[in-house]
């Protein structure tokens, strides 16, 4: 099911307007809240694999849009302080997948969906994602790691890196964008 572009636009507009998000506890997302979030994904039709190896060596987690599979690897399970950020990075990819329909093997960048809807300007969107990356102190890392990717993949990764530290916004986008028919 395709998400309402208005709901995604409204959620991002809140972020652009400066939605304040309380900081996470040092250990990240509480386990009960994480379990409930993973159960919501399963209810949407996303398979969740916990443990094992995910993707290339060194990857902590992956989301495969063609298979609707979220994999949280052993390496992530051993790094609780990074767990919430990595999980929310992958959840942004789930949202992107929902924007083009979970039943399709493709996804849509948040910025592309908003551009098509005409809700926010390209400058507003770029500024929003750029500010989130600067706030996290990971702008140069993200630019370097995404440089070799094709432009559409690069944009999706930039969005995921930008929003990974904003769990409230990511979970709102997930609720608004991903619904069972």
């Amino acid at each position: 099911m395709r998400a309402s572009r208005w709901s995604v636009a409204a959620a991002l507009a809140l972020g652009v307007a400066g939605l304040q998000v309380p900081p996470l506890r040092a250990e990240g997302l509480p386990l009960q809240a994480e379990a409930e979030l993973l159960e919501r994904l399963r209810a949407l039709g996303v398979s969740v694999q916990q443990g094992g190896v995910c993707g290339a060596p060194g990857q902590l987690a992956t989301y495969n849009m063609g298979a609707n599979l979220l994999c949280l690897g052993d390496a992530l399970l051993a790094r609780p302080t990074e767990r919430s950020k990595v999980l929310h990075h992958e959840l942004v990819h789930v949202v992107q997948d929902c924007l083009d329909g979970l039943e399709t093997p493709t996804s849509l960048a948040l910025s592309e969906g908003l551009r098509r809807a005409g809700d926010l300007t390209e400058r507003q969107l770029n500024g929003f994602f750029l500010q989130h990356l600067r706030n996290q102190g990971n702008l140069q890392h993200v630019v370097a790691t995404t440089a070799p990717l094709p432009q559409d993949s690069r944009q999706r990764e930039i969005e995921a890196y930008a929003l990974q530290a904003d769990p409230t916004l990511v979970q709102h986008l997930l609720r608004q964008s991903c619904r069972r028919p």
Side-chain angles (χ1 to χ4, degrees), residues 67-86:
N68 298 338
L69 172 65
L70 173 67
C71 179
L72 306 173
D74 286 333
L76 179 62
L77 301 176
R79 296 162 79 169
T81 57
E82 296 173 53
R83 193 171 169 100
S84 177
K85 199 177 269 190
V86 171

mmCIF file of all heavy atoms in Angstrom, residues 67-86:
data_model
loop_
_atom_site.group_PDB
_atom_site.id
_atom_site.type_symbol
_atom_site.label_atom_id
_atom_site.label_comp_id
_atom_site.label_asym_id
_atom_site.label_seq_id
_atom_site.Cartn_x
_atom_site.Cartn_y
_atom_site.Cartn_z
ATOM 1 N N ALA A 67 12.984 -8.311 -0.465
ATOM 2 C CA ALA A 67 12.492 -9.423 0.349
ATOM 3 C C ALA A 67 11.744 -8.961 1.597
ATOM 4 O O ALA A 67 11.242 -9.793 2.349
ATOM 5 C CB ALA A 67 13.669 -10.308 0.766
ATOM 6 N N ASN A 68 11.689 -7.641 1.805
ATOM 7 C CA ASN A 68 11.080 -7.085 3.030
ATOM 8 C C ASN A 68 11.672 -7.761 4.263
ATOM 9 O O ASN A 68 10.959 -8.250 5.136
ATOM 10 C CB ASN A 68 9.563 -7.234 3.030
ATOM 11 C CG ASN A 68 8.913 -6.498 1.892
ATOM 12 O OD1 ASN A 68 9.478 -5.566 1.339
ATOM 13 N ND2 ASN A 68 7.721 -6.915 1.530
ATOM 14 N N LEU A 69 13.005 -7.795 4.313
ATOM 15 C CA LEU A 69 13.722 -8.488 5.385
ATOM 16 C C LEU A 69 14.624 -7.511 6.128
ATOM 17 O O LEU A 69 15.511 -6.901 5.534
ATOM 18 C CB LEU A 69 14.572 -9.624 4.813
ATOM 19 C CG LEU A 69 15.527 -10.313 5.785
ATOM 20 C CD1 LEU A 69 14.754 -11.036 6.888
ATOM 21 C CD2 LEU A 69 16.436 -11.277 5.051
ATOM 22 N N LEU A 70 14.390 -7.375 7.422
ATOM 23 C CA LEU A 70 15.254 -6.610 8.310
ATOM 24 C C LEU A 70 16.125 -7.605 9.049
ATOM 25 O O LEU A 70 15.605 -8.528 9.693
ATOM 26 C CB LEU A 70 14.422 -5.797 9.308
ATOM 27 C CG LEU A 70 15.209 -5.088 10.406
ATOM 28 C CD1 LEU A 70 16.080 -3.974 9.811
ATOM 29 C CD2 LEU A 70 14.267 -4.527 11.453
ATOM 30 N N CYS A 71 17.421 -7.452 8.936
ATOM 31 C CA CYS A 71 18.365 -8.340 9.605
ATOM 32 C C CYS A 71 19.155 -7.536 10.629
ATOM 33 O O CYS A 71 19.776 -6.529 10.286
ATOM 34 C CB CYS A 71 19.315 -8.969 8.577
ATOM 35 S SG CYS A 71 20.548 -10.066 9.321
ATOM 36 N N LEU A 72 19.102 -7.966 11.874
ATOM 37 C CA LEU A 72 19.874 -7.361 12.960
ATOM 38 C C LEU A 72 20.931 -8.382 13.359
ATOM 39 O O LEU A 72 20.620 -9.404 13.982
ATOM 40 C CB LEU A 72 18.963 -7.021 14.146
ATOM 41 C CG LEU A 72 17.746 -6.154 13.816
ATOM 42 C CD1 LEU A 72 16.828 -6.031 15.021
ATOM 43 C CD2 LEU A 72 18.172 -4.800 13.300
ATOM 44 N N GLY A 73 22.163 -8.142 12.967
ATOM 45 C CA GLY A 73 23.229 -9.123 13.115
ATOM 46 C C GLY A 73 23.771 -9.284 14.521
ATOM 47 O O GLY A 73 23.525 -8.464 15.413
ATOM 48 N N ASP A 74 24.526 -10.352 14.698
ATOM 49 C CA ASP A 74 25.175 -10.622 15.980
ATOM 50 C C ASP A 74 26.031 -9.447 16.427
ATOM 51 O O ASP A 74 26.073 -9.123 17.613
ATOM 52 C CB ASP A 74 26.069 -11.868 15.880
ATOM 53 C CG ASP A 74 25.269 -13.153 15.830
ATOM 54 O OD1 ASP A 74 24.133 -13.188 16.359
ATOM 55 O OD2 ASP A 74 25.776 -14.132 15.239
ATOM 56 N N ALA A 75 26.728 -8.824 15.478
ATOM 57 C CA ALA A 75 27.601 -7.696 15.823
ATOM 58 C C ALA A 75 26.797 -6.558 16.447
ATOM 59 O O ALA A 75 27.266 -5.884 17.362
ATOM 60 C CB ALA A 75 28.349 -7.202 14.583
ATOM 61 N N LEU A 76 25.579 -6.332 15.980
ATOM 62 C CA LEU A 76 24.735 -5.284 16.542
ATOM 63 C C LEU A 76 24.254 -5.668 17.933
ATOM 64 O O LEU A 76 24.200 -4.830 18.836
ATOM 65 C CB LEU A 76 23.527 -5.010 15.641
ATOM 66 C CG LEU A 76 22.550 -3.951 16.134
ATOM 67 C CD1 LEU A 76 23.229 -2.595 16.249
ATOM 68 C CD2 LEU A 76 21.356 -3.863 15.220
ATOM 69 N N LEU A 77 23.920 -6.917 18.114
ATOM 70 C CA LEU A 77 23.446 -7.383 19.410
ATOM 71 C C LEU A 77 24.509 -7.176 20.486
ATOM 72 O O LEU A 77 24.186 -6.962 21.653
ATOM 73 C CB LEU A 77 23.037 -8.852 19.336
ATOM 74 C CG LEU A 77 21.929 -9.178 18.326
ATOM 75 C CD1 LEU A 77 21.681 -10.679 18.263
ATOM 76 C CD2 LEU A 77 20.655 -8.428 18.655
ATOM 77 N N ALA A 78 25.785 -7.193 20.091
ATOM 78 C CA ALA A 78 26.890 -7.021 21.025
ATOM 79 C C ALA A 78 27.239 -5.552 21.264
ATOM 80 O O ALA A 78 28.140 -5.256 22.035
ATOM 81 C CB ALA A 78 28.123 -7.766 20.501
ATOM 82 N N ARG A 79 26.528 -4.624 20.593
ATOM 83 C CA ARG A 79 26.837 -3.191 20.719
ATOM 84 C C ARG A 79 25.579 -2.406 21.101
ATOM 85 O O ARG A 79 25.016 -1.678 20.285
ATOM 86 C CB ARG A 79 27.424 -2.689 19.405
ATOM 87 C CG ARG A 79 28.762 -3.367 19.115
ATOM 88 C CD ARG A 79 29.181 -3.257 17.692
ATOM 89 N NE ARG A 79 29.762 -1.970 17.365
ATOM 90 C CZ ARG A 79 30.383 -1.734 16.217
ATOM 91 N NH1 ARG A 79 30.514 -2.677 15.318
ATOM 92 N NH2 ARG A 79 30.876 -0.547 15.965
ATOM 93 N N PRO A 80 25.136 -2.534 22.340
ATOM 94 C CA PRO A 80 23.870 -1.936 22.756
ATOM 95 C C PRO A 80 23.812 -0.417 22.633
ATOM 96 O O PRO A 80 22.747 0.139 22.400
ATOM 97 C CB PRO A 80 23.703 -2.387 24.209
ATOM 98 C CG PRO A 80 25.059 -2.775 24.663
ATOM 99 C CD PRO A 80 25.796 -3.244 23.446
ATOM 100 N N THR A 81 24.927 0.283 22.760
ATOM 101 C CA THR A 81 24.888 1.743 22.674
ATOM 102 C C THR A 81 24.610 2.229 21.254
ATOM 103 O O THR A 81 24.121 3.331 21.065
ATOM 104 C CB THR A 81 26.195 2.387 23.172
ATOM 105 O OG1 THR A 81 27.284 1.869 22.420
ATOM 106 C CG2 THR A 81 26.406 2.118 24.654
ATOM 107 N N GLU A 82 24.900 1.407 20.264
ATOM 108 C CA GLU A 82 24.654 1.780 18.864
ATOM 109 C C GLU A 82 23.351 1.201 18.328
ATOM 110 O O GLU A 82 22.909 1.551 17.234
ATOM 111 C CB GLU A 82 25.808 1.289 17.987
ATOM 112 C CG GLU A 82 27.127 1.935 18.318
ATOM 113 C CD GLU A 82 28.266 1.288 17.551
ATOM 114 O OE1 GLU A 82 28.161 1.204 16.308
ATOM 115 O OE2 GLU A 82 29.240 0.873 18.193
ATOM 116 N N ARG A 83 22.745 0.336 19.066
ATOM 117 C CA ARG A 83 21.607 -0.446 18.585
ATOM 118 C C ARG A 83 20.434 0.415 18.114
ATOM 119 O O ARG A 83 19.902 0.198 17.033
ATOM 120 C CB ARG A 83 21.169 -1.407 19.681
ATOM 121 C CG ARG A 83 20.222 -2.455 19.214
ATOM 122 C CD ARG A 83 20.018 -3.480 20.329
ATOM 123 N NE ARG A 83 18.917 -4.338 20.000
ATOM 124 C CZ ARG A 83 19.047 -5.566 19.492
ATOM 125 N NH1 ARG A 83 20.240 -6.045 19.257
ATOM 126 N NH2 ARG A 83 17.990 -6.280 19.211
ATOM 127 N N SER A 84 20.020 1.394 18.896
ATOM 128 C CA SER A 84 18.873 2.217 18.524
ATOM 129 C C SER A 84 19.141 2.999 17.246
ATOM 130 O O SER A 84 18.302 3.061 16.351
ATOM 131 C CB SER A 84 18.504 3.180 19.652
ATOM 132 O OG SER A 84 17.435 4.001 19.246
ATOM 133 N N LYS A 85 20.322 3.577 17.153
ATOM 134 C CA LYS A 85 20.653 4.383 15.975
ATOM 135 C C LYS A 85 20.664 3.513 14.713
ATOM 136 O O LYS A 85 20.116 3.892 13.683
ATOM 137 C CB LYS A 85 22.014 5.057 16.171
ATOM 138 C CG LYS A 85 22.241 6.224 15.257
ATOM 139 C CD LYS A 85 23.566 6.903 15.550
ATOM 140 C CE LYS A 85 23.352 7.998 16.551
ATOM 141 N NZ LYS A 85 24.524 8.857 16.706
ATOM 142 N N VAL A 86 21.263 2.347 14.814
ATOM 143 C CA VAL A 86 21.336 1.442 13.662
ATOM 144 C C VAL A 86 19.943 0.935 13.290
ATOM 145 O O VAL A 86 19.572 0.893 12.112
ATOM 146 C CB VAL A 86 22.309 0.275 13.939
ATOM 147 C CG1 VAL A 86 22.233 -0.783 12.846
ATOM 148 C CG2 VAL A 86 23.743 0.797 14.085
#
